[in-house]
């Protein structure tokens, strides 16, 4: 793949503007808008798109001092997750703001950066045209945007913190534009460097099954509750406030709670609200159905579902990998004797049952069948890497497999790992300050 050669291009003044600055509760913000190419490698300049990023700094530094601090670019999880909107500096941001200006990027397709929703995709034309457009919203394009922005800001090689999918993007950055990086920190985000996507889901189903077993050992009464809800939904129509029927398989998506230390116990509180007695007998409560709706709808983030498997696509079709691998794990099927709750898997029926995704069904099918995905990593270049890299690898992570993470770590020269069972995938939300300090100390000690 051609290297990303955007940093040395001379930007025009119209490519960047700061629209507003604010100061409150110990932090300063500046709202940056950039104009970047839709396709960075085009010889002849073509279509451009707007990209948004919010700068955060601490008021413990004067404005003049803050302007001299080096940049830390934060790459959010996802795909399809916008940059965090915070109202005070806490967690990892509190620790980072002592030494950096933080640039919180809305990755293309999210937040205020050319957001992808059904309405905006309709502007592109038919399903084929929409699918072609979405091929430019993966990690390689996000990294090209970052390098372009770094050039516009006139920054030296900067530091990067990548959470989950943001860590995948950081590996792409190390592969194709390492000259733009001073150091890299990754939390729960060491992607497999090669496919197929099937092996990701083979590992994922095993980890989620183990997490189900752990959860039900803590709350044994919930094993029967989950089965009761699934059987009830087979026999009795229950409808979400958005109008669609809640199916057993869609209910299983509440297993998203299993992916963290800070959220897992909240699953018990959700399930205890499930049933209520009515004049028509036992039904699911409005309170429960509304909580479930918020968990199973992709209305706020359709890009996650549409592009999810494509983050593993390199030179071959993903072809609904999770759906195919499910055949090897029948305990996850909704009609299993005791169905398990699911984790981070996307199935074709999402685009039949979620009203926010139904209009994107044909686009999702085209992306699943697409074979010409470009490489996202350069194993040869990673093998001779010279950028300091430190990664937190969570032993029991149900979203980014521990074993696959260590396989990747061994393939990146000089990458240091901190393997821990103290956290799950949401570790950065549980003790972000401690995790940042540890990783920052590791990359600085490596110099």
């Amino acid at each position: 793949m051609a290297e990303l050669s955007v940093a040395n291009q001379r930007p025009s003044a119209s490519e960047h503007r700061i629209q507003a600055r604010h100061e409150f509760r110990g932090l300063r913000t500046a709202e940056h808008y950039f104009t970047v190419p839709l396709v960075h490698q085009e010889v002849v300049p073509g279509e451009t798109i707007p990209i948004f990023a919010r700068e955060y700094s601490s008021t413990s530094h004067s404005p003049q001092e803050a302007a001299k601090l080096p940049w830390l670019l934060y790459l959010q999880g996802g795909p399809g997750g916008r940059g965090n909107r915070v109202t005070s500096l806490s967690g990892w941001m509190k620790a980072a703001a002592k030494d950096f200006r933080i640039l919180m990027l809305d990755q293309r397709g999210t937040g205020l950066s050319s957001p992808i929703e059904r309405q905006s995709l309709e502007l592109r034309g038919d399903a084929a045209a929409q699918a072609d457009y979405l091929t430019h919203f993966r990690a390689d394009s996000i990294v090209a945007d970052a390098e372009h922005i770094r050039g516009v800001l006139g920054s030296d090689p900067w530091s990067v913190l990548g959470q989950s999918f943001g860590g995948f993007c950081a590996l792409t950055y190390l592969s194709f534009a390492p000259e733009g990086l001073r150091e890299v920190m990754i939390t729960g985000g060491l992607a497999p460097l090669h496919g197929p996507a099937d092996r990701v889901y083979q590992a994922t189903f095993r980890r989620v099954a183990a997490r189900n077993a752990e959860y039900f050992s803590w709350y044994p009464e919930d094993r029967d509750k989950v089965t009761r809800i699934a059987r009830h939904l087979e026999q009795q129509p229950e409808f979400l406030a958005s109008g669609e029927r809640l199916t057993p398989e869609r209910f299983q998506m509440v297993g998203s709670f299993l992916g963290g230390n800070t959220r897992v116990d909240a699953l018990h509180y959700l399930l205890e609200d499930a049933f209520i007695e009515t004049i028509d007998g036992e039904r699911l409560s409005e309170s429960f159905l509304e909580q479930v709706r918020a968990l199973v709808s992709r209305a706020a983030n359709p890009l996650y579902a549409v592009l999810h498997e494509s983050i593993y696509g390199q030179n071959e079709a993903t072809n609904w990998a999770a759906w195919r691998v499910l055949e090897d794990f029948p305990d996850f099927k909704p009609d299993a004797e005791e169905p398990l709750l699911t984790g981070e898997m996307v199935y074709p029926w999402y685009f039949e049952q979620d009203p926010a995704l139904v209009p994107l069904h044909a686009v999702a099918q085209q992306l699943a069948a697409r074979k010409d995905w470009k490489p996202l990593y350069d194993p040869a270049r990673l093998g001779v890497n010279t950028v300091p890299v430190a990664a937190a690898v969570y032993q029991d992570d149900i979203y980014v497999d521990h074993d696959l993470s260590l396989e990747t770590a061994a393939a990146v020269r000089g990458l240091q790992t901190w393997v821990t069972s103290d956290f799950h995938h949401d570790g950065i939300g549980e003790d972000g300050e401690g995790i940042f300090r540890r990783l920052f100390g590791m990359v600085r000690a490596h110099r």
Side-chain angles (χ1 to χ4, degrees), residues 123-285:
L123 297 172
R124 311 306 305 191
D126 62 13
Q130 293 176 31
D132 287 343
Y133 180 64
L134 286 170
T135 63
H136 303 301
F137 286 77
R138 298 201 307 156
D140 50 350
S141 297
I142 292 167
V143 167
D145 290 343
E147 266 299 271
H148 185 97
I149 289 168
R150 188 178 70 85
V152 170
L153 294 175
S155 172
D156 291 333
W158 55 13
S159 304
V160 168
L161 173 61
Q163 156 66 10
S164 188
F165 173 68
F168 291 27
C169 294
L171 288 169
T172 301
Y173 216 145
L174 286 164
S175 293
F176 302 118
E179 66 280 1
L181 299 170
R182 180 183 184 187
E183 60 213 351
V184 171
M185 294 161 281
I186 296 172
T187 56
L190 287 181
L193 300 182
H194 56 86
D198 300 48
R199 72 192 195 113
V200 172
Y201 293 104
Q202 290 282 349
T204 298
F205 276 112
R206 288 192 295 269
R207 296 263 180 213
V208 179
R211 187 63 164 166
N212 271 264
E214 184 176 36
Y215 175 81
F216 291 128
S217 72
W218 299 334
Y219 297 102
E221 66 273 29
D222 287 354
R223 176 59 278 177
D224 176 64
K225 181 69 71 69
V226 167
T227 303
R228 280 178 60 206
I229 295 170
R231 297 292 89 85
H232 174 85
L233 290 171
E234 286 177 349
Q235 301 161 12
Q236 174 65 58
E238 297 278 9
F239 295 89
L240 301 177
S242 44
E244 73 270 27
R245 183 173 178 174
L246 178 62
T247 60
E249 59 269 29
R250 205 158 173 220
F251 159 67
Q252 288 176 276
M253 293 170 66
V254 303
S256 60
F257 274 119
L258 299 174
N261 276 345
T262 59
R263 299 179 70 230
V264 64
D265 297 297
L267 176 58
H268 176 67
Y269 301 139
L270 169 70
L271 295 173
E272 72 181 7
D273 286 342
F275 289 104
I276 190 170
E277 287 296 329
T278 75
I279 59 174
D280 297 318
E282 191 175 59
R283 299 293 298 269
L284 295 181
S285 72

Side-chain angles (χ1 to χ4, degrees), residues 78 93 109 135 139 185 235 248 282 287 304 379 384 398 445:
M93 293 183 70
T135 63
M185 294 161 281
Q235 301 161 12
E282 191 175 59
S287 172
Y304 175 90
V384 295
I398 69 170

